[in-house]
């Protein structure tokens, strides 16, 4: 705390990201990164662009990238917004679309950036409890509200919602923006993008960080009615006209066009996930039904914090949230088959001790 700070700073509760330690040989399953690299075509695009042109500002509207995204999702370019990771998009969304006289609704167990942004942008929020099986019960959202934000699949549970439920939610709240955060949808979920043409209150947010393996590049995008997109553009252009640099724009454009790479990588991750779930269940873990590139699991007798520490001693990093209801769970990102085998071997050692 310093006397030079603006008032709001001391009230903020900043998001704590999973650690990025520089320990060689570590099995890093703590931040839901993709274990396979991004499309080689995207890396080549960066190589081709890393030259003297970097002295010039990038296209502030990222037209080529937005056209490529529009073509991939069968929407118009006016229905696409891009930003520096979906976190930045979420921030702009909280400020531009989620602050109203009535409260914002989101699940009590969800992406922990939502409460952080609510404080930053002074958005009144109500946390709607998950049911006793850690599922989002959409009927609980049938109450007066200014807006709703839900990840599908939810994080950190990995549990998905059917499209029919999301459509019913949109229809029940024509006066509220409903944001569906689809950071993990490509690992088995049902995307709400096809509903955009019929629901002007729907904003879908996706990211290149997970299924397109570009967490280090920072590119996310939002799809929705042009009026919603215009609100985001107004906030962006009052904040930073150039959130995506030249390299990010060309790489993301190449990545979104490389459907074959995307398919292969996401299918490998889904297959490894299903295998890992079976192995953990055999070790007496309860694993929530995941449609994401991570699983959320608790052991029938060993505390989550102890397992976390035991794994760390054995060079395996996973994520643990010391929060009510979920403190016995570990969130484990899906790595390669070899990485998951090391995780399972470490868990067997710990459980045998
Ligand atoms: C639900 C959810 N939304 C959004 C993000 C942000 O991803 P990025 O900023 O890398 O696009 C994450 C990252 O872990 C997430 O879990």
């Amino acid at each position: 705390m310093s006397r030079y700070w603006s008032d709001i700073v001391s009230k903020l509760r900043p998001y704590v990201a999973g650690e990025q330690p520089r320990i060689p040989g570590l099995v890093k399953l703590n931040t839901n990164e993709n274990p396979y690299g991004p499309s080689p075509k995207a890396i080549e695009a960066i190589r081709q662009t890393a030259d003297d042109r970097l002295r010039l500002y990038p296209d502030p509207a990222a037209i080529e990238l937005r056209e490529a995204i529009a073509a991939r999702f069968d929407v118009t370019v006016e229905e696409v917004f891009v930003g520096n990771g979906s976190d930045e998009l979420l921030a702009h969304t909280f400020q531009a679309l989620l602050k109203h006289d009535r409260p914002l609704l989101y699940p009590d167990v969800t992406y922990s950036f939502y409460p952080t942004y609510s404080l930053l942008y002074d958005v009144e929020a109500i946390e709607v409890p998950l049911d006793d099986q850690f599922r989002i019960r959409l009927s609980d959202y049938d109450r007066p509200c200014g807006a709703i934000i839900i990840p599908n699949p939810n994080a950190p549970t990995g549990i998905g919602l059917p499209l029919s439920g999301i459509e019913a939610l949109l229809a029940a709240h024509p006066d509220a923006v409903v944001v569906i955060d689809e950071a993990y949808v490509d690992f088995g979920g049902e995307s709400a993008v096809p509903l955009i043409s019929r629901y002007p209150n729907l904003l879908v947010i996706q990211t290149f960080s997970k299924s397109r393996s570009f967490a280090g590049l920072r590119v996310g995008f939002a799809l929705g009615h042009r009026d919603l997109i215009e609100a985001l553009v107004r906030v962006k252009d009052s904040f930073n006209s150039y959130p995506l640099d030249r390299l990010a724009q060309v790489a993301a454009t190449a990545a979104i066009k490389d459907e074959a790479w995307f398919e292969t990588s996401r299918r490998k991750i889904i297959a490894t996930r299903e295998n890992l779930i079976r192995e953990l269940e055999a070790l007496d873990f309860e694993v929530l039904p995941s449609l994401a590139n991570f699983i959320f699991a608790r052991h029938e007798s060993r505390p989550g914090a102890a397992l976390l520490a035991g794994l760390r001693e054995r060079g395996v990093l996973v994520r643990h949230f010391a929060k009510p209801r979920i403190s016995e769970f570990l969130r484990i990102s899906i790595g390669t088959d070899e990485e998951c085998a090391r995780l399972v071997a470490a868990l067997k050692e710990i459980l045998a001790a």
Side-chain angles (χ1 to χ4, degrees):
M1 172 106 173
S2 154
R3 66 193 171 98
Y4 301 114
W5 286 7
S6 299
D7 264 358
I8 185 167
V9 177
S10 48
K11 294 185 196 120
L12 297 179
R13 272 188 275 123
Y15 175 76
V16 183
E19 52 179 327
Q20 298 286 355
R22 296 196 207 158
I23 307 169
L26 203 66
V27 176
K28 193 173 173 304
L29 304 177
N30 68 329
T31 49
N32 298 345
E33 287 143 336
N34 189 318
Y36 307 106
S39 157
K41 292 181 181 157
I43 305 295
E44 185 52 29
I46 292 177
R47 280 204 190 94
Q48 297 292 329
T49 311
D51 59 23
D52 181 60
R53 281 170 296 173
L54 288 178
R55 71 193 173 77
L56 301 171
Y57 284 104
D59 174 6
I63 287 290
E64 264 182 54
L65 172 58
R66 285 172 50 230
E67 281 173 352
I69 293 172
R72 166 66 170 74
F73 290 95
D74 200 16
V75 297
T76 67
V77 75
E78 292 78 22
E79 292 170 321
V80 181
F81 179 83
V82 293
N84 191 260
S86 58
D87 282 340
E88 185 188 73
L89 291 179
L90 286 166
H92 290 343
T93 301
F94 270 71
Q95 193 171 31
L97 298 168
L98 306 187
K99 184 174 159 77
H100 299 283
D101 294 338
R102 291 199 277 199
L104 167 69
L105 307 180
Y106 53 74
D108 64 338
V109 176
T110 195
Y111 187 34
S112 29
F113 239 125
Y114 300 167
T116 295
Y117 287 140
S118 295
L119 263 181
L120 176 63
Y121 294 115
D122 194 25
V123 176
E124 185 202 342
I126 292 181
E127 300 190 349
V128 182
L130 299 184
D131 72 10
D132 54 7
Q133 292 178 297
F134 299 94
R135 289 170 193 275
I136 292 171
R137 195 167 35 205
L138 286 173
S139 55
D140 293 344
Y141 291 74
D142 283 342
R143 55 164 99 180
C145 63
I148 296 171
I149 180 165
I150 289 178
N152 187 33
N154 194 15
T157 63
I159 298 177
L161 284 166
L163 199 54
S164 53
I166 289 174
E167 178 154 16
L169 189 71
L170 288 160
H173 293 278
D175 297 325
V177 173
V178 175
V179 180
I180 306 297
D181 179 349
E182 296 189 347
Y184 303 103
V185 78
D186 296 323
F187 302 103
E190 266 186 290
S191 174
V193 171
L195 301 178
I196 283 171
S197 56
R198 281 185 287 131
Y199 293 93
N201 55 332
L202 168 63
L203 188 76
V204 176
I205 295 185
Q206 292 199 8
T207 177
F208 279 71
S209 297
K210 317 291 178 183
S211 54
R212 291 187 175 79
S213 197
F214 258 135
L217 195 75
R218 313 305 302 130
V219 183
F221 55 100
L223 308 175
H225 189 279
R226 54 195 303 161
D227 290 350
L228 302 185
I229 300 302
E230 187 188 335
L232 296 176
V233 173
R234 289 175 67 106
V235 168
K236 165 201 165 263
D237 287 339
S238 308
F239 176 78
N240 175 7
S241 315
Y242 307 105
L244 288 192
D245 60 58
R246 279 175 176 270
L247 305 180
Q249 290 191 28
V250 294
T253 305
I256 200 87
K257 291 179 179 169
D258 195 346
E259 203 63 28
W261 187 267
F262 163 80
E263 272 301 320
T264 308
S265 146
R266 77 185 188 99
R267 280 183 196 284
K268 278 195 284 193
I269 290 165
I270 292 169
T272 305
R273 177 185 72 207
E274 296 309 304
N275 205 25
L276 179 62
I277 291 175
R278 277 192 296 275
E279 295 204 69
L280 292 188
E281 283 175 346
L283 295 177
D284 298 327
F285 278 90
E286 176 198 359
V287 186
L288 299 187
S290 170
L291 292 177
N293 69 337
F294 58 84
I295 54 170
F296 207 45
R298 64 179 161 190
H299 193 259
E300 64 169 31
S301 60
R302 301 294 182 101
L307 291 172
L308 174 84
L311 284 172
R312 206 193 153 88
E313 279 167 25
R314 289 164 179 80
V316 181
L317 269 196
V318 299
R319 193 99 200 252
H320 173 254
F321 301 93
K323 287 186 178 165
R325 292 188 78 189
I326 56 169
S327 60
E328 298 313 332
F329 282 87
L330 298 178
R331 193 199 65 190
I332 304 169
S333 309
I334 305 302
T336 59
D337 286 333
E338 296 70 37
E339 287 172 322
C340 291
R342 274 191 60 190
L343 164 88
V344 170
L347 282 172
K348 282 184 180 161
E349 226 181 271
I350 296 166
L351 296 173

